[in-house]
Amino acid sequence: MSRKILLLAGSSEAREIATLLADNPDYEVTASFAGVTRMPAKLAVQTRSGGFGGVTGLVEYLRQTGTDVLIDATHPFAVNMTGNAALATNELGIAHMIVQRPGWQPQTGDSWHFVDQLDHAADLIPKGATVFLGTGRQTLGSFANLADRRLICRQIDPPDGPFPYPNGRFQVGRPPFSIEDEIAFFKAEGIDWLVVKNSGGDASRSKLDAARALGLPVILQRRQAVPDVPLVVSAKACVDWLAL
Ligand code: NAP
């Protein structure tokens, strides 16, 4: 009989896992999206969308669907979902694996500054600077104290409202971006500083490579600790674990 898997998606690893498990008769995979991105990239398995309704809702969902294994391949900064998943699988005693790629590490010569909270960026960025925000539109509330800087916030979907501050704008674009594109974009906009999450991985690293090439300083938000759940760093390792 096939094992029922709930794949919490939102990362490139989730897409890879879906591709690796699709058409494998040993597994019946449902991938779950939060429903934040209006047109998420298609996955190779069946999908559902929207929150579960906290830990209680997730426990109910896992019970009703008879899920055997939960794979949390959400983005490394989706800490609420990851915390809820740990509590739910602990309550039900079902197998659980977190798939999380390592964070980026600075190279010699990089001007990287690590912060725990994004609103600390204002302590580092001088007035008058032009700042690229690669942290997503949902983080804009953290930058109210950057009023004296020019802000450019990149997001996947076209904006559904005006930029929340008078001194900035959205830039619509779906990753991946090449290093050359990022360099050209940063030069054209006169970017002085970058603010990013330490997401890790190859898909969105080009902005850091471009910053390195241009000698730009970067502020990186540190990750929070993950719950006490088994963790692998790649899609392949996760699929290997499932097959054990
Ligand atoms: P979050 O703060 O951890 O989650 C907020 C709530 O959204 C969760 O409590 C849950 O609602 C729902 N949710 C999150 N991921 C879900 C999933 N895969 N399936 C169903 N419901 C989900 O997450 P977030 O930072 O808002 O991110 C939302 C989604 O975007 C995540 O799936 C994440 O992988 C992806 N993403 C996040 C980032 C980032 O920087 N945070 C970047 C790229 C992609 P309920 O409590 O109602 O279940």
Side-chain angles (χ1 to χ4, degrees):
M1 213 174 74
S2 61
R3 285 154 90 200
K4 281 199 168 186
I5 297 182
L6 175 65
L7 172 64
L8 298 177
S11 65
S12 53
E13 287 77 11
R15 263 199 306 285
E16 275 179 65
I17 292 168
T19 304
L20 289 167
L21 297 183
D23 305 325
N24 184 330
D26 292 341
Y27 308 112
E28 186 186 326
V29 183
T30 301
S32 175
F33 287 109
V36 179
T37 303
R38 273 176 245 156
M39 295 266 291
K42 274 212 172 329
L43 296 189
V45 296
Q46 64 174 329
T47 57
R48 66 165 299 284
S49 182
F52 298 95
V55 180
T56 317
L58 181 56
V59 166
E60 186 60 21
Y61 174 91
L62 293 168
R63 268 207 191 107
Q64 275 184 2
T65 53
T67 298
D68 300 299
V69 182
L70 183 146
I71 298 174
D72 176 0
T74 53
H75 185 273
F77 279 82
V79 291
N80 295 310
M81 188 70 252
T82 291
N84 288 354
L87 291 170
T89 56
N90 187 46
E91 185 173 330
L92 295 172
I94 69 170
H96 184 168
M97 180 60 80
I98 295 176
V99 186
Q100 198 171 97
R101 56 197 181 231
W104 293 307
Q105 299 291 333
Q107 294 179 10
T108 310
D110 282 340
S111 174
W112 287 16
H113 309 263
F114 288 89
V115 294
D116 288 318
Q117 288 170 229
L118 291 174
D119 58 359
H120 293 168
D123 301 338
L124 297 159
I125 302 175
K127 289 187 176 27
T130 296
V131 185
F132 171 78
L133 301 177
T135 47
R137 70 181 191 280
Q138 284 159 314
T139 64
L140 278 171
S142 300
F143 299 109
N145 58 2
L146 281 177
D148 298 328
R149 291 74 159 179
R150 181 172 160 252
L151 305 178
I152 298 177
C153 174
R154 186 155 66 199
Q155 62 169 38
I156 292 177
D157 289 317
D160 48 13
F163 199 77
Y165 311 118
N167 54 330
R169 68 169 181 87
F170 290 111
Q171 169 80 18
V172 175
R174 185 182 283 270
F177 306 98
S178 71
I179 301 174
E180 293 73 23
D181 285 350
E182 296 289 54
I183 289 175
F185 172 58
F186 294 160
K187 275 186 173 170
E189 293 295 338
I191 300 294
D192 301 305
W193 282 76
L194 280 73
V195 184
V196 305
K197 296 176 177 178
N198 192 4
S199 303
D202 292 332
S204 58
R205 207 192 57 211
S206 55
K207 55 183 177 267
L208 294 170
D209 295 333
R212 181 172 299 132
L214 296 171
L216 298 177
V218 182
I219 294 171
L220 294 99
Q221 186 183 20
R222 285 191 194 93
R223 297 178 181 189
Q224 290 186 23
V226 286
D228 188 15
V229 168
L231 184 151
V232 289
V233 298
S234 71
K236 163 98 175 45
C238 179
V239 171
D240 289 348
W241 166 76
L242 274 174
L244 286 177

